[in-house]
Amino acid sequence: MRKVIYGAAAFGLVAAAVTGVVFKDRFDRARAVGSLFTGAEQYQNFHRYQTIFPHTVMDASPRPFQFPDGAKVELPSSFVYSGQTIDTDVFLSETDTAALLVIDDGQVRFERYSLTGGRDVPWISMSVAKSFISALVGIAVSEGLIGSIDEDITSYVPELAGSAYDGVRIKDILQMSSGARWNEDYSDPNSDIARFGQIFALGGSLDEFAGTLERAREPGTFNLYNSTDTHVLGMMLVRATGQTISHYMEEKLWRPMGSESDGYWLLDGEGMEMAFGGMTATARDYAKIGELYRLKGVLNGQQIVPTEWVAASVTPDAPHLQPGKNNPATDFELGYGYQWWIPEGDEGEFSAIGVYNQFVYVNPTSGTVIVKLSANSNYGTSDDESAYRELETIEFFRSIVNEVR
């Protein structure tokens, strides 16, 4: 009997310990997510999300690609945005810039780390991850695992039947034009992105969440940024490839690109990658997706993403996708491709952009790739450019391109 009592007591202690660990993990996640878009400093967390959230690991490449060093260039002391002269150092400080990397013609021309950033330090991608998901879709199409992006998403993810995504073309989802009703106002606690964030914080199934969205517009007619669109693409990749996103990406993109460091994908409560923005990597490895697309899908001696996919990905091909302040069929003045943003201009620029000012910017005309990893604590505290500073950052990058030239 004593052994039974001791055994029961031991089990109770173990259960309590496990419960305590689980509770602490969820508390840490909830505290990290709950502080977002409140004005709280984030640089203490963004380099360690892979220690706070459940995750998978993508192993670094056995053939790492190293950018060679080029002649160093100084940053412009200031730049002009919206008629105002902006001091560069003030801008970098106010946006809590942890990493700034300038690659020109394949060579490192500028590299600086601050706060908790560092050359070997991973940083949360936020929505920069969306552009990696797009590349994986292109690879899966080239392998015949996805027949055509003109097919309906429900051909691959039948559980979305009856939702906003029922019968919607894969292409319209790639172009953030699914027609799903969505509110991505980070300052609104009742927005869809806030409900989405509850799963990010506390666990649960993002797959199930996607099935709750309803149709608001005819698909393919209006560009409305919607993080669930990218999650649905992730669901399709898992069904089409028969692999997790992490495994497929490690094999087809991460290691072929020549990643120097391990990469991570954060997971929801069901073990599904948070395809909308849950990747973490170093600045130099983020730069490789920009260089890969600058070079039309070739890097590290391999054609990794089809050339035609790269071209289509960075080309707005319908009226509602065109850049411009006066486009009535979009909710933002940057244009859109396949999960890539397209600024207005004549140099073919495109960029992956994530909240809190994560950027992989590419100017193919000048041959420049710029990575900016940040923790802009003011981001999302109001629903306007003064908090987001994304258009301002594009002008900063353009000033760097002019300096390099």
Side-chain angles (χ1 to χ4, degrees):
M1 178 65 70
R2 182 177 297 175
K3 290 182 179 178
V4 173
I5 292 173
Y6 285 166
F11 178 81
L13 289 172
V14 170
V18 170
T19 300
V21 169
V22 170
F23 176 80
K24 181 180 183 303
D25 287 347
R26 291 195 175 185
F27 176 77
D28 289 346
R29 290 172 61 176
R31 181 169 59 182
V33 175
S35 70
L36 294 173
F37 313 117
T38 65
E41 294 289 356
Q42 298 297 329
Y43 65 85
Q44 302 97 330
N45 287 333
F46 281 6
H47 69 296
R48 63 184 193 98
Y49 261 35
Q50 70 280 1
T51 70
I52 300 174
F53 295 86
H55 63 272
T56 57
V57 181
M58 296 181 295
D59 291 338
S61 173
R63 295 175 53 228
F65 171 75
Q66 302 274 357
F67 291 105
D69 290 334
K72 301 307 178 188
V73 64
E74 295 298 321
L75 297 180
S77 61
S78 63
F79 62 98
V80 176
Y81 171 69
S82 193
Q84 301 294 317
T85 299
I86 311 297
D87 182 274
T88 293
D89 288 339
V90 172
F91 169 74
L92 294 175
S93 176
E94 288 180 348
T95 56
D96 294 317
T97 304
L100 185 64
L101 176 64
V102 179
I103 309 290
D104 182 61
D105 195 24
Q107 298 180 330
V108 177
R109 302 292 303 278
F110 182 90
E111 188 172 23
R112 179 189 294 172
Y113 299 98
S114 304
L115 302 173
T116 52
R119 175 168 173 172
D120 299 320
V121 175
W123 196 265
I124 184 67
S125 66
M126 300 305 185
S127 291
V128 165
K130 291 177 167 71
S131 300
F132 284 86
I133 292 294
S134 172
L136 294 179
V137 173
I139 293 169
V141 170
S142 72
E143 293 185 326
L145 300 174
I146 297 170
S148 167
I149 60 172
D150 288 321
E151 292 182 272
D152 294 344
I153 191 77
T154 37
S155 299
Y156 296 88
V157 194
E159 60 265 43
L160 291 176
S163 75
Y165 296 99
D166 195 351
V168 178
R169 289 191 312 167
I170 297 166
K171 183 177 182 180
D172 290 329
I173 299 170
L174 276 165
Q175 295 175 327
M176 289 291 181
S177 306
S178 67
R181 179 175 289 109
W182 185 256
N183 175 4
E184 191 140 349
D185 181 352
Y186 304 105
S187 62
D188 180 357
N190 297 313
S191 66
D192 294 301
I193 195 64
R195 295 194 299 123
F196 196 74
Q198 289 176 9
I199 298 173
F200 187 22
L202 302 175
S205 172
L206 290 172
D207 289 7
E208 291 181 6
F209 177 87
T212 68
L213 298 194
E214 300 175 347
R215 180 75 52 81
R217 296 182 177 89
E218 182 67 22
T221 63
F222 192 92
N223 176 228
L224 178 67
Y225 191 75
N226 177 353
S227 284
T228 303
D229 282 4
T230 310
H231 186 79
V232 166
L233 295 175
M235 294 171 70
M236 176 187 66
L237 280 169
V238 171
R239 308 303 190 276
T241 65
Q243 300 183 58
T244 65
I245 291 172
S246 303
H247 288 157
Y248 190 66
M249 179 167 162
E250 180 185 80
E251 177 187 356
K252 303 295 182 179
L253 182 61
W254 188 246
R255 299 184 83 180
M257 280 196 316
S259 55
E260 300 171 48
S261 304
D262 291 346
Y264 306 89
W265 273 105
L266 308 186
L267 306 174
D268 72 8
E270 302 298 319
M272 172 66 178
E273 288 88 349
M274 295 184 180
F276 68 95
M279 181 182 150
T280 73
T282 65
R284 285 197 172 219
D285 283 339
Y286 282 126
K288 291 182 175 69
I289 191 77
E291 186 72 353
L292 175 69
Y293 271 58
R294 182 182 79 84
L295 297 176
K296 300 178 172 57
V298 177
L299 194 65
N300 206 21
Q302 302 178 66
Q303 182 80 51
I304 299 170
V305 180
T307 299
E308 60 273 16
W309 182 266
V310 172
S313 296
V314 298
T315 304
D317 66 358
H320 65 285
L321 304 171
Q322 300 302 316
K325 292 182 179 180
N326 299 316
N327 187 343
T330 181
D331 72 332
F332 195 46
E333 64 183 82
L334 295 181
Y336 210 71
Y338 299 169
Q339 308 281 292
W340 287 89
W341 294 99
I342 319 297
E344 195 169 19
D346 59 4
E347 298 203 352
E349 303 157 283
F350 53 93
S351 188
I353 303 177
V355 297
Y356 279 88
N357 300 144
Q358 323 310 326
F359 284 86
V360 178
Y361 163 89
V362 182
N363 183 317
T365 300
S366 67
T368 310
V369 174
I370 302 175
V371 175
K372 184 180 189 293
L373 304 178
S374 319
N376 175 9
S377 58
N378 198 42
Y379 194 97
T381 53
S382 63
D383 191 23
D384 57 52
E385 171 63 18
S386 67
Y388 294 155
R389 304 188 79 163
E390 289 163 342
L391 301 176
E392 183 179 356
T393 302
I394 296 292
E395 292 305 320
F396 170 57
F397 294 156
R398 288 170 169 170
S399 73
I400 293 176
V401 167
N402 289 334
E403 193 73 21
V404 168
R405 285 172 173 167

